[in-house]
Amino acid sequence: MEAPGGAEGARCHHPVVEMLDVPFLPFCLLLGLLGFVCVAFVSAWCQYWRGGFAWDGSAQMFNWHPVLMVTGMVVLYGAASLVYRLPASWSGPKLPWKVLHSSLALAAFTLAVLGLVAVFRFHNAHGTPNMYSLHSWLGLATVLLFSCQWLAGFSTFLLPWAPAWLRGLYKPIHVFFGSTILLLAVASCVSGINEKLFFSLKNGTAQYKLLPAEAVFANTLGLLILLFGVLVLGALARPSWKRPDADCPDSRQPLLAAER
């Protein structure tokens, strides 16, 4: 049996040993570029093949749905997830990083809500039933779970009322559902792209099964989103990229308590 203060204690008191030879920042830049490419691809798809954008209940209003969901639930959410993997967050006051993490997640949630407004308003304007497909069930469940995750995280970690034992108990649950929500968001986006292609590419030489240019482009978008999600989850799972004091007792102090 390992003595108390062994491996965990070493990890807490020597926070930078494992990170020195890990190229996290180049990886982060690559991931940021990939996220930008995902947003550029979904925007180009909706602009070039689907007729552009509007906010009037038309098909062009629907086009905001994939753009906002990919930007919010995948790219911004992924960025929020990696805030604590930045070496700069490993020392000094934690509050600014907590606020950044919470703010990015809130921005992602706001875009997701706008994306839902776009698709529901489009459906209602055209008499299309809501919430009948697997994609719609999965997407709405993801957003609802995300809202619960954000509220629970804000209440537990950013407000000073929660006792240390509650923060310690909830922290691994928060981490687990954080990765789970990203996985569900990627699945929702990929299934939504596939569903849109099946609905849109049905006639003549543009049939989906004939793999026209739009299908190739949108399928590529789906693969890029999947790659982005896999890389974020891989970064979250890599032990040497975790905040070194993640398991130390002092990491469970109230976030709004005075730094000492």
Side-chain angles (χ1 to χ4, degrees), residues 27 31 34-35 37-39 41-42 69-71 73-75 78 138 179-194 217-235:
F27 171 85
L31 196 61
L34 180 58
V37 171
C38 288
V39 175
F41 260 61
V42 69
M69 288 305 190
V70 171
T71 304
M73 291 300 297
V74 177
V75 177
L138 183 60
S179 297
T180 300
I181 290 168
L182 178 61
L183 180 64
L184 293 174
V186 169
S188 299
C189 289
V190 171
S191 65
I193 291 169
N194 195 238
F217 190 89
N219 284 351
T220 303
L221 167 63
L223 292 177
L224 290 172
I225 292 171
L226 180 61
L227 177 60
F228 182 89
V230 167
L231 290 178
V232 172
L233 292 174

Short mmCIF file of all heavy atoms in Angstrom, two decimals, residues 27 31 34-35 37-39 41-42 69-71 73-75 78 138 179-194 217-235:
data_model
loop_
_atom_site.label_atom_id
_atom_site.label_comp_id
_atom_site.label_asym_id
_atom_site.label_seq_id
_atom_site.Cartn_x
_atom_site.Cartn_y
_atom_site.Cartn_z
N PHE A 27 0.05 22.17 -29.87
CA PHE A 27 -1.17 21.37 -30.01
C PHE A 27 -2.40 22.27 -29.89
O PHE A 27 -3.36 22.14 -30.65
CB PHE A 27 -1.21 20.28 -28.94
CG PHE A 27 -2.52 19.55 -28.87
CD1 PHE A 27 -2.79 18.47 -29.69
CD2 PHE A 27 -3.51 19.96 -27.96
CE1 PHE A 27 -4.01 17.80 -29.62
CE2 PHE A 27 -4.73 19.30 -27.90
CZ PHE A 27 -4.97 18.21 -28.72
N LEU A 31 -5.26 22.92 -32.62
CA LEU A 31 -6.66 22.70 -32.31
C LEU A 31 -7.49 23.94 -32.59
O LEU A 31 -8.62 23.86 -33.10
CB LEU A 31 -6.81 22.27 -30.85
CG LEU A 31 -8.13 21.63 -30.44
CD1 LEU A 31 -8.36 20.35 -31.21
CD2 LEU A 31 -8.14 21.36 -28.94
N LEU A 34 -8.01 24.09 -36.26
CA LEU A 34 -9.01 23.12 -36.66
C LEU A 34 -10.41 23.59 -36.31
O LEU A 34 -11.36 23.42 -37.11
CB LEU A 34 -8.72 21.77 -35.98
CG LEU A 34 -9.68 20.62 -36.31
CD1 LEU A 34 -9.72 20.34 -37.81
CD2 LEU A 34 -9.27 19.36 -35.54
N GLY A 35 -10.58 24.20 -35.15
CA GLY A 35 -11.88 24.75 -34.78
C GLY A 35 -12.32 25.84 -35.74
O GLY A 35 -13.50 25.89 -36.14
N VAL A 37 -11.43 26.10 -38.86
CA VAL A 37 -11.76 25.43 -40.12
C VAL A 37 -13.17 24.83 -40.05
O VAL A 37 -13.93 24.90 -41.02
CB VAL A 37 -10.71 24.36 -40.46
CG1 VAL A 37 -11.16 23.50 -41.64
CG2 VAL A 37 -9.37 25.01 -40.78
N CYS A 38 -13.53 24.25 -38.91
CA CYS A 38 -14.88 23.69 -38.75
C CYS A 38 -15.94 24.78 -38.92
O CYS A 38 -16.94 24.58 -39.63
CB CYS A 38 -15.02 23.04 -37.37
SG CYS A 38 -14.12 21.50 -37.16
N VAL A 39 -15.73 25.92 -38.28
CA VAL A 39 -16.69 27.02 -38.39
C VAL A 39 -16.72 27.55 -39.83
O VAL A 39 -17.80 27.84 -40.37
CB VAL A 39 -16.34 28.15 -37.40
CG1 VAL A 39 -17.26 29.35 -37.61
CG2 VAL A 39 -16.45 27.65 -35.96
N PHE A 41 -16.02 25.88 -42.57
CA PHE A 41 -16.65 24.88 -43.43
C PHE A 41 -18.17 24.92 -43.31
O PHE A 41 -18.88 24.90 -44.32
CB PHE A 41 -16.13 23.48 -43.08
CG PHE A 41 -15.06 22.98 -44.01
CD1 PHE A 41 -13.86 23.66 -44.14
CD2 PHE A 41 -15.24 21.82 -44.75
CE1 PHE A 41 -12.87 23.21 -45.00
CE2 PHE A 41 -14.26 21.35 -45.60
CZ PHE A 41 -13.07 22.04 -45.74
N VAL A 42 -18.68 24.96 -42.08
CA VAL A 42 -20.14 24.94 -41.92
C VAL A 42 -20.75 26.23 -42.44
O VAL A 42 -21.84 26.23 -43.03
CB VAL A 42 -20.53 24.68 -40.44
CG1 VAL A 42 -20.18 25.85 -39.53
CG2 VAL A 42 -22.01 24.35 -40.34
N MET A 69 -24.63 25.88 -33.76
CA MET A 69 -24.38 24.68 -32.97
C MET A 69 -22.92 24.24 -33.05
O MET A 69 -22.31 23.87 -32.04
CB MET A 69 -25.30 23.55 -33.42
CG MET A 69 -26.75 23.77 -33.02
SD MET A 69 -26.90 24.05 -31.24
CE MET A 69 -28.66 23.97 -31.01
N VAL A 70 -22.35 24.25 -34.25
CA VAL A 70 -20.95 23.87 -34.38
C VAL A 70 -20.05 24.87 -33.66
O VAL A 70 -19.12 24.49 -32.93
CB VAL A 70 -20.56 23.75 -35.87
CG1 VAL A 70 -19.04 23.58 -36.02
CG2 VAL A 70 -21.28 22.58 -36.52
N THR A 71 -20.34 26.16 -33.84
CA THR A 71 -19.52 27.19 -33.20
C THR A 71 -19.63 27.13 -31.68
O THR A 71 -18.61 27.20 -30.97
CB THR A 71 -19.94 28.59 -33.68
OG1 THR A 71 -19.86 28.64 -35.11
CG2 THR A 71 -19.04 29.66 -33.09
N MET A 73 -21.53 24.65 -29.43
CA MET A 73 -21.50 23.38 -28.71
C MET A 73 -20.25 22.55 -28.96
O MET A 73 -19.92 21.65 -28.18
CB MET A 73 -22.73 22.55 -29.05
CG MET A 73 -24.02 23.11 -28.50
SD MET A 73 -24.04 23.25 -26.69
CE MET A 73 -23.87 21.53 -26.20
N VAL A 74 -19.54 22.83 -30.04
CA VAL A 74 -18.32 22.07 -30.33
C VAL A 74 -17.07 22.93 -30.10
O VAL A 74 -16.25 22.62 -29.24
CB VAL A 74 -18.34 21.50 -31.76
CG1 VAL A 74 -17.02 20.78 -32.07
CG2 VAL A 74 -19.51 20.55 -31.94
N VAL A 75 -16.93 24.01 -30.85
CA VAL A 75 -15.68 24.77 -30.83
C VAL A 75 -15.52 25.57 -29.53
O VAL A 75 -14.51 25.42 -28.82
CB VAL A 75 -15.60 25.69 -32.06
CG1 VAL A 75 -14.32 26.54 -32.00
CG2 VAL A 75 -15.62 24.87 -33.35
N GLY A 78 -15.39 23.21 -26.58
CA GLY A 78 -14.08 22.56 -26.50
C GLY A 78 -13.02 23.50 -25.93
O GLY A 78 -12.18 23.08 -25.13
N LEU A 138 -31.39 13.84 -29.51
CA LEU A 138 -30.02 13.87 -29.00
C LEU A 138 -29.55 15.31 -28.80
O LEU A 138 -28.93 15.63 -27.79
CB LEU A 138 -29.10 13.14 -29.99
CG LEU A 138 -27.63 12.98 -29.61
CD1 LEU A 138 -27.49 12.19 -28.31
CD2 LEU A 138 -26.86 12.28 -30.74
N SER A 179 -16.88 16.05 -20.38
CA SER A 179 -16.45 15.27 -21.53
C SER A 179 -17.64 14.61 -22.23
O SER A 179 -17.69 14.53 -23.46
CB SER A 179 -15.45 14.21 -21.09
OG SER A 179 -14.27 14.79 -20.56
N THR A 180 -18.60 14.15 -21.45
CA THR A 180 -19.77 13.50 -22.02
C THR A 180 -20.57 14.46 -22.89
O THR A 180 -21.03 14.09 -23.99
CB THR A 180 -20.67 12.94 -20.90
OG1 THR A 180 -19.92 12.00 -20.12
CG2 THR A 180 -21.90 12.26 -21.47
N ILE A 181 -20.74 15.69 -22.45
CA ILE A 181 -21.50 16.67 -23.21
C ILE A 181 -20.81 16.97 -24.54
O ILE A 181 -21.47 17.09 -25.58
CB ILE A 181 -21.70 17.95 -22.38
CG1 ILE A 181 -22.68 17.67 -21.23
CG2 ILE A 181 -22.22 19.09 -23.25
CD1 ILE A 181 -22.73 18.76 -20.18
N LEU A 182 -19.48 17.07 -24.53
CA LEU A 182 -18.76 17.31 -25.78
C LEU A 182 -18.97 16.13 -26.74
O LEU A 182 -19.20 16.33 -27.94
CB LEU A 182 -17.28 17.51 -25.51
CG LEU A 182 -16.42 17.72 -26.77
CD1 LEU A 182 -16.86 18.96 -27.53
CD2 LEU A 182 -14.94 17.82 -26.39
N LEU A 183 -18.90 14.91 -26.21
CA LEU A 183 -19.14 13.73 -27.04
C LEU A 183 -20.53 13.75 -27.63
O LEU A 183 -20.73 13.48 -28.83
CB LEU A 183 -18.93 12.47 -26.19
CG LEU A 183 -19.12 11.12 -26.87
CD1 LEU A 183 -18.08 10.93 -27.97
CD2 LEU A 183 -19.03 9.99 -25.85
N LEU A 184 -21.53 14.09 -26.83
CA LEU A 184 -22.92 14.17 -27.32
C LEU A 184 -23.09 15.29 -28.33
O LEU A 184 -23.84 15.15 -29.31
CB LEU A 184 -23.87 14.38 -26.14
CG LEU A 184 -24.00 13.21 -25.15
CD1 LEU A 184 -24.87 13.63 -23.96
CD2 LEU A 184 -24.59 12.00 -25.83
N ALA A 185 -22.39 16.41 -28.12
CA ALA A 185 -22.49 17.52 -29.07
C ALA A 185 -21.92 17.14 -30.43
O ALA A 185 -22.50 17.47 -31.47
CB ALA A 185 -21.75 18.74 -28.51
N VAL A 186 -20.80 16.44 -30.43
CA VAL A 186 -20.21 15.99 -31.69
C VAL A 186 -21.16 15.02 -32.39
O VAL A 186 -21.40 15.12 -33.60
CB VAL A 186 -18.84 15.33 -31.43
CG1 VAL A 186 -18.34 14.62 -32.69
CG2 VAL A 186 -17.82 16.39 -31.00
N ALA A 187 -21.72 14.08 -31.63
CA ALA A 187 -22.67 13.12 -32.21
C ALA A 187 -23.89 13.84 -32.77
O ALA A 187 -24.40 13.49 -33.85
CB ALA A 187 -23.10 12.10 -31.16
N SER A 188 -24.38 14.87 -32.07
CA SER A 188 -25.54 15.62 -32.55
C SER A 188 -25.23 16.35 -33.85
O SER A 188 -26.04 16.35 -34.78
CB SER A 188 -25.98 16.63 -31.47
OG SER A 188 -26.35 15.99 -30.28
N CYS A 189 -24.07 16.98 -33.91
CA CYS A 189 -23.70 17.72 -35.12
C CYS A 189 -23.52 16.79 -36.32
O CYS A 189 -24.00 17.08 -37.43
CB CYS A 189 -22.42 18.52 -34.88
SG CYS A 189 -22.63 19.94 -33.78
N VAL A 190 -22.84 15.68 -36.11
CA VAL A 190 -22.61 14.75 -37.22
C VAL A 190 -23.92 14.16 -37.71
O VAL A 190 -24.18 14.06 -38.92
CB VAL A 190 -21.62 13.65 -36.79
CG1 VAL A 190 -21.53 12.56 -37.85
CG2 VAL A 190 -20.24 14.24 -36.54
N SER A 191 -24.80 13.77 -36.77
CA SER A 191 -26.09 13.22 -37.19
C SER A 191 -26.95 14.28 -37.86
O SER A 191 -27.70 13.98 -38.80
CB SER A 191 -26.83 12.63 -35.97
OG SER A 191 -27.16 13.64 -35.03
N GLY A 192 -26.82 15.54 -37.42
CA GLY A 192 -27.58 16.62 -38.05
C GLY A 192 -27.12 16.90 -39.48
O GLY A 192 -27.94 17.13 -40.37
N ILE A 193 -25.81 16.85 -39.71
CA ILE A 193 -25.29 17.02 -41.07
C ILE A 193 -25.82 15.91 -41.97
O ILE A 193 -26.28 16.16 -43.09
CB ILE A 193 -23.75 17.02 -41.05
CG1 ILE A 193 -23.23 18.28 -40.35
CG2 ILE A 193 -23.19 16.92 -42.46
CD1 ILE A 193 -21.75 18.24 -40.05
N ASN A 194 -25.77 14.69 -41.49
CA ASN A 194 -26.23 13.56 -42.28
C ASN A 194 -27.72 13.66 -42.58
O ASN A 194 -28.18 13.42 -43.71
CB ASN A 194 -25.92 12.27 -41.52
CG ASN A 194 -26.03 11.03 -42.38
OD1 ASN A 194 -26.81 10.13 -42.08
ND2 ASN A 194 -25.27 10.97 -43.46
N PHE A 217 -18.34 17.80 -49.46
CA PHE A 217 -17.96 18.91 -48.59
C PHE A 217 -18.55 18.73 -47.19
O PHE A 217 -17.84 18.88 -46.18
CB PHE A 217 -18.44 20.22 -49.22
CG PHE A 217 -17.90 21.45 -48.54
CD1 PHE A 217 -16.70 22.01 -48.94
CD2 PHE A 217 -18.61 22.06 -47.51
CE1 PHE A 217 -16.20 23.15 -48.33
CE2 PHE A 217 -18.12 23.19 -46.89
CZ PHE A 217 -16.91 23.75 -47.30
N ALA A 218 -19.84 18.42 -47.12
CA ALA A 218 -20.49 18.28 -45.81
C ALA A 218 -20.00 17.05 -45.07
O ALA A 218 -19.86 17.08 -43.84
CB ALA A 218 -22.01 18.23 -45.99
N ASN A 219 -19.74 15.96 -45.77
CA ASN A 219 -19.16 14.78 -45.11
C ASN A 219 -17.79 15.11 -44.53
O ASN A 219 -17.43 14.65 -43.43
CB ASN A 219 -19.04 13.64 -46.11
CG ASN A 219 -20.37 12.96 -46.40
OD1 ASN A 219 -21.38 13.23 -45.75
ND2 ASN A 219 -20.38 12.10 -47.40
N THR A 220 -17.01 15.89 -45.27
CA THR A 220 -15.70 16.31 -44.78
C THR A 220 -15.86 17.16 -43.52
O THR A 220 -15.08 17.02 -42.56
CB THR A 220 -14.95 17.09 -45.86
OG1 THR A 220 -14.82 16.28 -47.03
CG2 THR A 220 -13.56 17.50 -45.38
N LEU A 221 -16.86 18.04 -43.53
CA LEU A 221 -17.15 18.84 -42.34
C LEU A 221 -17.42 17.93 -41.15
O LEU A 221 -16.91 18.17 -40.04
CB LEU A 221 -18.35 19.74 -42.60
CG LEU A 221 -18.99 20.42 -41.39
CD1 LEU A 221 -18.01 21.36 -40.71
CD2 LEU A 221 -20.26 21.17 -41.79
N GLY A 222 -18.23 16.90 -41.35
CA GLY A 222 -18.52 15.97 -40.26
C GLY A 222 -17.26 15.31 -39.72
O GLY A 222 -17.10 15.15 -38.50
N LEU A 223 -16.35 14.93 -40.61
CA LEU A 223 -15.10 14.30 -40.17
C LEU A 223 -14.22 15.30 -39.41
O LEU A 223 -13.57 14.93 -38.42
CB LEU A 223 -14.34 13.76 -41.37
CG LEU A 223 -14.98 12.55 -42.08
CD1 LEU A 223 -14.15 12.16 -43.30
CD2 LEU A 223 -15.10 11.37 -41.13
N LEU A 224 -14.21 16.56 -39.84
CA LEU A 224 -13.44 17.59 -39.14
C LEU A 224 -13.98 17.82 -37.73
O LEU A 224 -13.21 17.97 -36.77
CB LEU A 224 -13.45 18.89 -39.93
CG LEU A 224 -12.67 18.90 -41.25
CD1 LEU A 224 -12.94 20.19 -42.02
CD2 LEU A 224 -11.19 18.72 -41.00
N ILE A 225 -15.30 17.85 -37.60
CA ILE A 225 -15.92 18.00 -36.28
C ILE A 225 -15.56 16.82 -35.38
O ILE A 225 -15.22 16.98 -34.20
CB ILE A 225 -17.44 18.15 -36.42
CG1 ILE A 225 -17.79 19.48 -37.09
CG2 ILE A 225 -18.13 18.05 -35.06
CD1 ILE A 225 -19.26 19.62 -37.46
N LEU A 226 -15.63 15.63 -35.95
CA LEU A 226 -15.28 14.43 -35.18
C LEU A 226 -13.82 14.47 -34.75
O LEU A 226 -13.49 14.16 -33.59
CB LEU A 226 -15.55 13.19 -36.04
CG LEU A 226 -15.24 11.84 -35.39
CD1 LEU A 226 -16.10 11.62 -34.15
CD2 LEU A 226 -15.49 10.72 -36.40
N LEU A 227 -12.93 14.88 -35.65
CA LEU A 227 -11.51 14.97 -35.30
C LEU A 227 -11.29 16.00 -34.20
O LEU A 227 -10.51 15.76 -33.25
CB LEU A 227 -10.71 15.35 -36.55
CG LEU A 227 -9.21 15.56 -36.35
CD1 LEU A 227 -8.54 14.29 -35.83
CD2 LEU A 227 -8.55 16.02 -37.65
N PHE A 228 -11.97 17.14 -34.28
CA PHE A 228 -11.84 18.16 -33.25
C PHE A 228 -12.26 17.60 -31.89
O PHE A 228 -11.55 17.77 -30.89
CB PHE A 228 -12.71 19.38 -33.61
CG PHE A 228 -12.61 20.51 -32.62
CD1 PHE A 228 -11.65 21.49 -32.76
CD2 PHE A 228 -13.51 20.60 -31.56
CE1 PHE A 228 -11.56 22.54 -31.85
CE2 PHE A 228 -13.43 21.63 -30.65
CZ PHE A 228 -12.46 22.61 -30.79
N GLY A 229 -13.41 16.92 -31.85
CA GLY A 229 -13.88 16.36 -30.59
C GLY A 229 -12.94 15.32 -30.03
O GLY A 229 -12.66 15.30 -28.82
N VAL A 230 -12.40 14.46 -30.89
CA VAL A 230 -11.47 13.42 -30.44
C VAL A 230 -10.20 14.04 -29.86
O VAL A 230 -9.69 13.61 -28.82
CB VAL A 230 -11.13 12.47 -31.60
CG1 VAL A 230 -9.94 11.58 -31.25
CG2 VAL A 230 -12.33 11.61 -31.96
N LEU A 231 -9.69 15.09 -30.52
CA LEU A 231 -8.47 15.73 -30.03
C LEU A 231 -8.71 16.43 -28.69
O LEU A 231 -7.85 16.39 -27.80
CB LEU A 231 -7.96 16.73 -31.06
CG LEU A 231 -7.39 16.13 -32.35
CD1 LEU A 231 -6.96 17.22 -33.31
CD2 LEU A 231 -6.21 15.20 -32.04
N VAL A 232 -9.86 17.07 -28.53
CA VAL A 232 -10.16 17.71 -27.24
C VAL A 232 -10.27 16.66 -26.14
O VAL A 232 -9.70 16.82 -25.06
CB VAL A 232 -11.46 18.54 -27.33
CG1 VAL A 232 -11.87 19.03 -25.94
CG2 VAL A 232 -11.27 19.73 -28.26
N LEU A 233 -11.00 15.59 -26.41
CA LEU A 233 -11.14 14.53 -25.40
C LEU A 233 -9.80 13.89 -25.08
O LEU A 233 -9.51 13.53 -23.94
CB LEU A 233 -12.14 13.48 -25.89
CG LEU A 233 -13.60 13.94 -25.99
CD1 LEU A 233 -14.46 12.86 -26.61
CD2 LEU A 233 -14.14 14.33 -24.62
N GLY A 234 -8.95 13.74 -26.10
CA GLY A 234 -7.61 13.20 -25.86
C GLY A 234 -6.78 14.11 -24.98
O GLY A 234 -6.06 13.65 -24.09
N ALA A 235 -6.89 15.42 -25.23
CA ALA A 235 -6.15 16.37 -24.40
C ALA A 235 -6.65 16.36 -22.96
O ALA A 235 -5.87 16.45 -22.01
CB ALA A 235 -6.29 17.78 -24.98
#
